Amino acid sequence: MSTRPTASGPSSARGSETDGRRPSAAARRRAREADIVLATRRLFDERGVSDAQIEDIAKSVGINRAIVYRHFTGKDEIFALTLVGYLDELRELMLVATEGDSSPIDVVRDVIGTFVDYGIEHPAFVDCAQTLMRRSGSDLLDELSESALFRLGRAMNGCLTILTKVFEDGSASGELHVEDANLLANTLYASGLGALQLARVGILVSESAPGVPTVASVSPAQVRDFLVTSALALTAK
């Protein structure tokens, strides 16, 4: 079977001094930032992205909102760094999906299925990712610090690289046909987020008669099957 990406999960930046010395200002700042991001994640998972306000985030950490803005450039940066946590979790699950001696077609099916399952289980991940994707690249460059942009890019690349490698290995073995593996991986990520929103809404709009709209239901399982089928069709020889 083709070479797989190797797992090397992100190490936690948090930790306490164990030698009795008082943590440095930089260490205290990193710990406070980590607390704010963790609080944001909890609120996202409990209430959803739209209902998580800066005041609520600050209150859950025991600080006022002014202190939040000392650590982050704004709400977009908090969202970006919270998304990093989701993406790191997703990456580990995607890596597991590549393990074993399955064929490239089965690996594509498993990796795409893992992405869909994670998005259905974590709707706040979908909301957070879509919130940032609605911003233009220039806006994100203006709103996020270089450090936040780097961390977000690295987390996204961690997931996309896995899928890209699967496509490249499948093409090299002759079992798949992908001309631009990276473009396909990015396109599937973006379209997958939209399809996951459809799975949450659970409604299909169609036409019962000319000019007469009607609605029908769609299940998360149907959306999952569609995304897997679409990905396989796009990689077919």
Side-chain angles (χ1 to χ4, degrees), residues 122-188:
H122 299 86
F125 156 67
V126 179
D127 286 345
C128 191
Q130 288 184 328
T131 296
L132 291 173
M133 288 191 71
R134 283 195 291 267
R135 306 297 298 274
S136 68
S138 59
D139 284 345
L140 287 177
L141 288 172
D142 289 338
E143 293 293 332
L144 305 185
S145 65
E146 289 186 10
S147 173
L149 278 170
F150 176 79
R151 292 170 62 184
L152 177 60
R154 182 174 58 185
M156 291 185 66
N157 187 61
C159 294
L160 293 170
T161 297
I162 293 171
L163 192 53
T164 299
K165 188 70 164 61
V166 170
F167 292 152
E168 290 175 343
D169 288 347
S171 294
S173 71
E175 296 179 67
L176 302 178
H177 175 71
V178 180
E179 293 186 0
D180 190 330
N182 183 253
L183 175 60
L184 180 57
N186 277 267
T187 301
L188 289 173

Side-chain angles (χ1 to χ4, degrees), residues 215-231:
V215 296
S217 61
V218 60
S219 69
Q222 287 176 290
V223 172
R224 186 185 195 277
D225 289 344
F226 175 79
L227 286 173
V228 170
T229 301
S230 297

Side-chain angles (χ1 to χ4, degrees), residues 2-225:
S2 55
T3 303
R4 304 292 189 200
T6 57
S8 57
S11 60
S12 173
R14 300 198 60 194
S16 59
E17 297 288 340
T18 58
D19 59 3
R21 293 181 298 175
R22 186 169 180 265
S24 67
R28 292 196 301 274
R29 180 180 181 85
R30 288 193 298 268
R32 174 62 61 78
E33 290 173 352
D35 287 342
I36 293 170
V37 171
L38 287 173
T40 305
R41 168 69 184 264
R42 285 194 298 269
L43 288 174
F44 281 0
D45 289 338
E46 292 170 3
R47 306 182 187 179
V49 173
S50 60
D51 291 330
Q53 303 300 318
I54 294 295
E55 291 83 355
D56 298 324
I57 296 169
K59 183 178 179 180
S60 66
V61 182
I63 59 178
N64 62 56
R65 61 177 291 161
I67 295 178
V68 173
Y69 287 111
R70 293 179 191 172
H71 292 271
F72 303 94
T73 59
K75 196 171 183 178
D76 281 346
E77 182 158 301
I78 301 176
F79 277 30
L81 294 178
T82 304
L83 179 59
V84 167
Y86 287 116
L87 290 169
D88 286 344
E89 290 179 359
L90 176 59
R91 175 181 180 273
E92 294 302 316
L93 294 172
M94 291 174 68
L95 279 172
V96 172
T98 67
E99 295 174 352
D101 296 321
S102 300
S103 70
I105 291 175
D106 288 334
V107 175
V108 171
R109 180 181 291 109
D110 291 343
V111 171
I112 297 297
T114 295
F115 170 81
V116 176
D117 291 342
Y118 186 83
I120 291 171
E121 184 179 353
H122 299 86
F125 156 67
V126 179
D127 286 345
C128 191
Q130 288 184 328
T131 296
L132 291 173
M133 288 191 71
R134 283 195 291 267
R135 306 297 298 274
S136 68
S138 59
D139 284 345
L140 287 177
L141 288 172
D142 289 338
E143 293 293 332
L144 305 185
S145 65
E146 289 186 10
S147 173
L149 278 170
F150 176 79
R151 292 170 62 184
L152 177 60
R154 182 174 58 185
M156 291 185 66
N157 187 61
C159 294
L160 293 170
T161 297
I162 293 171
L163 192 53
T164 299
K165 188 70 164 61
V166 170
F167 292 152
E168 290 175 343
D169 288 347
S171 294
S173 71
E175 296 179 67
L176 302 178
H177 175 71
V178 180
E179 293 186 0
D180 190 330
N182 183 253
L183 175 60
L184 180 57
N186 277 267
T187 301
L188 289 173
Y189 173 77
S191 61
L193 291 174
L196 283 167
Q197 186 64 33
L198 176 65
R200 182 192 302 178
V201 174
I203 293 176
L204 290 176
V205 179
S206 60
E207 191 175 62
S208 60
V212 180
T214 187
V215 296
S217 61
V218 60
S219 69
Q222 287 176 290
V223 172
R224 186 185 195 277
D225 289 344

